[in-house]
């Protein structure tokens, strides 16, 4: 069975600095997708970034980028120039590339931004 | 577009009571799903639907029923509430079932079962 592990329950960073959130996963599949979601205090889940396993290039979305290490089964999220609005819970999630629709979620990392 | 809407936002039930959590989307999405979120854990899939009239079980379906009579609505029914069902419930939808289709989430329903 696939599992997703986020080993950092909480992280803090000074505003304008860079922070990296860790995620590891376990799977025997070769075709899969990885996601980072943000959950602000409003509770609504928002997709931050997606990575296809077959792509070697790391995904980027403005200040958000990932370090995808397929052999190590690691998928970390880097947030550059942290802003107060980045404060939230961040969840890493995995999905197989076939017809199995289930997203497997990590337990989340709470990100605190210090002004 | 309102996106994915859920009602109610909060609900308190007594053990044994039944209720329905409502979920609606106005984006003409085929795929809809229900998750529960418990403290210290990631979301877990309860039920999902790939279109009107088609539903299937996820990881934790026991104690819950769903139906999908229209594309827009996907209600979740608790048959006989138990304290173990205290959780935050999220509904999500996407245009298709491909992993490249972004899932949009509702704001959640916080349910407490006493």
């Amino acid at each position: 069975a696939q599992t997703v592990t986020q080993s950092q329950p909480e992280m803090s960073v000074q505003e304008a600095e860079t922070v990296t959130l860790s995620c590891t996963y376990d799977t025997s599949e070769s075709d899969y997708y990885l996601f980072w979601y943000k959950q602000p205090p409003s509770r609504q889940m928002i997709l931050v970034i997606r990575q296809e396993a077959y792509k070697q290039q790391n995904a980027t979305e403005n200040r958000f980028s990932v370090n995808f290490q397929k052999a190590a089964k690691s998928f970390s999220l880097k947030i550059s120039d942290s802003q107060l609005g980045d404060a939230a819970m961040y969840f890493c999630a995995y999905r197989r590339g076939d017809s199995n629709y289930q997203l497997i979620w990590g337990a989340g990392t709470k990100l605190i931004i210090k002004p | 577009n309102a996106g994915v809407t859920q009602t109610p936002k909060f609900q308190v039930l007594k053990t044994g009571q039944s209720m329905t959590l409502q979920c609606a989307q106005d984006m003409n999405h085929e795929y809809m799903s229900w998750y529960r979120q418990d403290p210290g854990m990631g979301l877990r899939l309860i039920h999902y639907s790939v279109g009107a009239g088609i539903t299937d079980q996820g990881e934790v379906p026991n104690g819950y029923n769903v139906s999908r009579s229209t594309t827009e609505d996907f209600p979740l029914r608790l048959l006989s509430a138990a304290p173990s069902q205290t959780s935050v419930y999220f509904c999500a939808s996407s245009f298709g079932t491909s992993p490249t289709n972004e899932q949009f989430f509702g704001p959640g329903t916080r349910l407490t079962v006493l």
Side-chain angles (χ1 to χ4, degrees):
Chain A
Q2 296 87 13
T3 58
V4 176
T5 302
Q6 293 179 250
S7 58
Q8 306 153 317
E10 187 175 295
M11 292 281 286
S12 63
V13 63
Q14 207 71 35
E15 192 177 4
E17 299 203 335
T18 296
V19 64
T20 298
L21 308 183
S22 300
C23 172
T24 58
Y25 59 95
D26 187 23
T27 184
S28 58
E29 304 289 329
S30 59
D31 180 20
Y32 55 87
Y33 294 73
L34 297 163
F35 307 84
W36 278 99
Y37 280 86
K38 172 184 178 181
Q39 186 180 38
S42 66
R43 283 204 314 237
Q44 196 143 3
M45 287 286 186
I46 303 164
L47 178 65
V48 175
I49 201 164
R50 179 183 65 229
Q51 175 78 43
E52 292 87 340
Y54 64 85
K55 289 187 177 178
Q56 292 188 332
Q57 188 171 8
N58 289 327
T60 63
E61 287 287 341
N62 301 315
R63 297 183 295 107
F64 298 87
S65 61
V66 298
N67 184 4
F68 175 46
Q69 301 288 329
K70 190 171 183 178
K73 296 181 182 174
S74 170
F75 181 60
S76 59
L77 175 69
K78 185 171 86 170
I79 306 174
S80 305
D81 185 26
S82 298
Q83 300 175 0
L84 294 177
D86 294 334
M89 287 289 294
Y90 285 83
F91 292 90
C92 178
Y94 162 100
R95 179 180 162 173
R96 281 163 47 177
D98 59 10
S99 60
N100 185 309
Y101 309 118
Q102 185 169 344
L103 276 169
I104 309 296
W105 297 75
T109 296
K110 182 178 182 180
L111 180 62
I112 298 167
I113 311 293
K114 299 177 184 176
Chain B
N1 284 353
V4 180
T5 58
Q6 291 184 237
T7 55
K9 284 190 168 52
F10 301 92
Q11 183 70 48
V12 179
L13 292 177
K14 294 181 180 178
T15 297
Q17 287 185 315
S18 62
M19 80 159 294
T20 299
L21 307 185
Q22 300 292 343
C23 173
Q25 51 87 14
D26 60 358
M27 298 174 281
N28 201 31
H29 284 174
E30 289 182 348
Y31 178 79
M32 297 185 74
S33 57
W34 277 101
Y35 291 89
R36 60 178 288 172
Q37 182 180 31
D38 299 303
M41 299 179 67
L43 276 68
R44 291 182 293 169
L45 183 65
I46 304 171
H47 285 286
Y48 65 92
S49 169
V50 299
I54 306 169
T55 63
D56 207 344
Q57 296 181 350
E59 181 185 359
V60 288
N62 291 343
Y64 308 95
N65 269 359
V66 292
S67 60
R68 183 102 178 264
S69 55
T70 67
T71 299
E72 294 78 19
D73 300 299
F74 190 45
L76 178 72
R77 280 183 289 278
L78 279 71
L79 309 172
S80 177
S84 61
Q85 293 179 305
T86 294
S87 189
V88 180
Y89 291 84
F90 289 96
C91 180
S93 75
S94 62
F95 182 72
T97 55
S98 166
T100 58
N101 293 127
E102 180 179 348
Q103 286 202 40
F104 294 85
F105 285 80
T109 294
R110 183 177 293 277
L111 175 68
T112 302
V113 182
L114 303 175

